[in-house]
Each structure stands twice: as C-alpha cells, then as structure tokens.
Amino acid sequence: MNVHAAAVTTAHRFDEQTSAFASDVIGDLSQQPKRLSPKYFYDAIGSELFEQITLLPEYYPTRTELGILRDRGRAISSIIPKGAALVEFGAGATTKVRLLLQQCAFGAYVPVDISGDFLKAQAEALRKDFPDLDVYPVAADFTAPFALPDAIANMPKVGFFPGSTLGNFEPHEACAFLRSAREILGKDAQMVIGVDLEKDERTLYNAYNDAAGITARFNLNVLDRINRELGGDFELPAFIHRAIYNRERHRIEMHLISKKAQTARVLGRSFSFRAGESIHTESSYKYSLERFTALARGSGWTPRESWTDKAGMFSVHALVTSD
Ligand code: AVI
C-alpha cells in the first residue's frame, strides 16, 4: 500500500477549525430556538463515545448495516467495476470499509475527512491488511467541493457513505450533498450509501435514549467541548439530554434542556436560558425506501439496487449517476 501523506493535514488547520467552531457556536446559540451543529460532537472524546454508542444493544443501525454489507457482499461486488477507486466520504471506524475492500476488487481507496489525524490512523490500520491497495487520503470537508487525487483520474469511481450520516443532514442539505458527491465523482460513477429506515417509535426512542446513558454523555460532551476549547462556562449538570421522535418530520431530535434559568458565557458573550429551554443539537432523519429513492433521483442519481435486513430496519443503496 502507498500512503500519500502529503495530502494530509497541516498545522494551521487547527486554528481555522477552532475559529469556525467559535463563530458557529456564537451564531447558533444566538438563534431562537437555540441550536448547535452535530458536526461538533466529534472531538476525540465524542468520537470515542460514538464508538461506544455503535456497540449499545439499543443502537441497531451499525450492526444492522454491517450485517447487510456482509450478507449482500456478493451482490454489491457484482455491480462494482474491477479496479475502481473507492471514495469514502468521512473516515470513521474501518470496519465497514474493510468489508467492501475484502469483497470487491478495488484498485484504490480514498478516505476523505476533515481530520488529518484520523485519516493517518485509518490508513495505518488498513496498511497491514491490504498491502496491494493504494490509499490516497484527502484532508477536506466532504460536504464542500474538493479535488480527487490525480492518481485515480482514470479509474471508475465508487462513493461510499455508510452509517446513515446522510440522516444528520436537513433534507435540502442531503440533496446538496448528493449533488456535490456526483460532481466530485464525475460521470459514470456509483455510490453505495447506508440509510436508516422509519420504524416503530419505541425502537427509535430507545436507540437514542440508551439505558447506560452513553448517548446522554455524547450529547452533553458538546457543551464540555465548548468549555474546553472556547473557554465556555457551561454548568453541565444543569442540562439534561432529551431525544424524541418527531413523526411529522420523520426525525429523531436530540436536545439539551436547561434545568433552570441560567446564563452561560462563551468568548465574552452571554447566553441566557429559561428553565426548560432547549438547545437543538442533532436531527437524525429516518427515510422510507420511497422517500430515499425520490431524494436520490432529485439529486442526479438513479437508484440501481436497494438491500435491507430481514426486519426492514436499515437500508443500503447502490446508485448510479443519472446521465
Ligand atoms: C452519525 N449518526 C448517523 C448518528 C445517528 O444515529 O444519527 C449519530 C448519533 N446520535 C446519537 N446517536 C448516534
């Protein structure tokens, strides 16, 4: 494997990221209702808590998607051209991509993530097991346009976006992301994407209100991160985690609820909370197969095949570019 480290992170990126974090936090807490972007959950502590979430008995998406990728590996590999470059939008645990790499004859792997450190660790982890695979990490915000490495210019492209991360985008953002992925991957590309499905409210509720309280810690960590990185003074015990299913909007909503009237300061700005006031920290949209395929069609992709588990909890879709 060749790891082309030159594409990976630079030292000043940290400062850029911190100032973007600061301006987003100030802007979002100044809104009515208050909110925070879910992308800020994932510092080192939040990423570790998320890994713990994926192992919780109540959190079905990760193990269900892995089961689909494992069981349908042959069908997936049959539609992927030999020697294609696999472009993964976001680099997390390597478990899912390993399944694809084992089952399909990819010529190169391009993990794309804003965190260069994460990319390096991911590339290192794959090096041992796939010695013949070329890996070209790209440090970029995958929701915005970025250039693919020249080395894969002549290879067919397959995008990979597992985990139902698409569900954390508002519907218009999901459409914009799919359009942008289509532009980045170019003509005659394919996309393999994992999408969580709408289901009974109890299962959804439990998945985001686990008995061990890990999701609550994950949610509250964003306030702790503001305290650590932006010198905030949020009193963590004065907020509680709440996750509800909003059936009309087909989404789980995560909130942090202020237990009392209080004021928190961040970077010299004061934010006042009423008792019971919420900060909306995440939406996790759940799709029906029809609503997802309509979204894909409206975003420049043609659904080629969809796979679900037996219980219809989660779906994996193969899309091809529309023209
Ligand atoms: C990453 N994302 C798809 C997770 C989800 O289910 O929306 C994030 C998460 N939030 C709470 N639990 C897991």
Side-chain angles (χ1 to χ4, degrees):
M1 180 214 274
N2 299 316
V3 177
H4 300 264
V8 181
T9 195
T10 52
H12 68 270
R13 190 174 282 281
F14 175 74
D15 291 332
E16 273 171 34
Q17 284 178 18
T18 305
S19 63
F21 180 33
S23 62
D24 285 352
V25 165
I26 300 295
D28 286 349
L29 291 180
S30 305
Q31 303 281 322
Q32 230 20 273
K34 293 182 176 65
R35 62 185 191 208
L36 286 169
S37 167
K39 71 181 174 194
Y40 295 118
F41 282 141
Y42 301 94
D43 65 347
I45 295 171
S47 299
E48 169 53 33
L49 287 168
F50 181 66
E51 287 309 311
Q52 291 182 33
I53 287 174
T54 65
L55 302 173
L56 290 168
E58 297 96 333
Y59 194 75
Y60 61 85
T62 310
R63 62 173 175 275
T64 311
E65 183 180 39
L66 275 167
I68 298 171
L69 292 173
R70 204 175 287 125
D71 297 348
R72 306 305 187 118
R74 194 173 286 221
I76 297 171
S77 72
S78 73
I79 61 174
I80 285 173
K82 272 205 169 45
L86 182 65
V87 179
E88 182 169 8
F89 295 90
T94 58
T95 328
K96 290 170 194 168
V97 78
R98 277 166 187 276
L99 272 178
L100 278 194
L101 293 172
Q102 278 156 9
Q103 298 176 105
C104 312
F106 284 106
Y109 171 53
V110 182
V112 184
D113 198 89
I114 192 115
S115 161
D117 291 344
F118 222 99
L119 283 174
K120 269 194 210 156
Q122 201 200 38
E124 286 303 315
L126 286 169
R127 174 185 282 141
K128 292 187 196 87
D129 298 333
F130 300 92
D132 297 330
L133 187 74
D134 282 332
V135 177
Y136 303 97
V138 174
D141 172 0
F142 65 78
T143 61
F146 62 88
L148 289 174
D150 291 343
I152 65 159
N154 297 322
M155 298 178 178
K157 317 284 186 303
V158 179
F160 185 42
F161 196 43
S164 203
T165 303
L166 192 82
N168 296 133
F169 296 156
E170 291 301 314
H172 72 277
E173 293 168 340
C175 178
F177 167 75
L178 288 171
R179 282 185 184 284
S180 158
R182 189 184 172 289
E183 286 303 307
I184 289 162
L185 296 170
K187 267 176 136 324
D188 301 323
Q190 303 204 39
M191 185 92 177
V192 175
I193 182 163
V195 178
D196 196 11
L197 296 176
E198 210 156 28
K199 59 188 59 65
D200 71 278
E201 213 155 315
R202 178 53 47 188
T203 303
L204 286 169
Y205 179 87
N206 289 343
Y208 293 83
N209 290 282
D210 61 286
I214 308 293
T215 310
R217 283 171 58 199
F218 173 72
N219 198 5
L220 282 159
N221 176 59
V222 74
L223 297 186
D224 211 14
R225 182 177 180 186
I226 294 171
N227 288 351
R228 285 191 305 267
E229 293 184 23
L230 305 179
D233 68 354
F234 278 101
E235 188 190 331
L236 264 65
F239 288 86
I240 49 164
H241 161 76
R242 180 172 295 160
I244 51 146
Y245 188 58
N246 182 332
R247 186 158 287 284
E248 265 166 38
R249 302 187 74 170
H250 312 281
R251 69 186 196 193
I252 284 280
E253 291 176 8
M254 291 216 309
H255 298 267
L256 289 166
I257 308 291
S258 177
K259 286 189 193 167
K260 60 181 187 185
Q262 57 180 320
T263 300
R265 285 184 71 77
V266 184
L267 295 168
R269 303 278 290 266
S270 292
F271 299 98
S272 298
F273 293 85
R274 301 182 305 279
E277 187 174 350
S278 146
I279 309 173
H280 183 177
T281 51
E282 184 184 64
S283 294
S284 190
Y285 282 84
K286 308 302 170 189
Y287 286 87
S288 63
L289 292 176
E290 296 69 27
R291 276 190 296 109
F292 175 71
T293 49
L295 170 70
R297 282 206 177 82
S299 315
W301 293 91
T302 302
R304 180 165 177 183
E305 263 187 79
S306 300
W307 300 278
T308 67
D309 55 300
K310 279 206 185 75
M313 305 273 271
F314 200 91
S315 59
V316 174
H317 303 258
L319 311 175
V320 294
T321 50
S322 292
D323 48 47

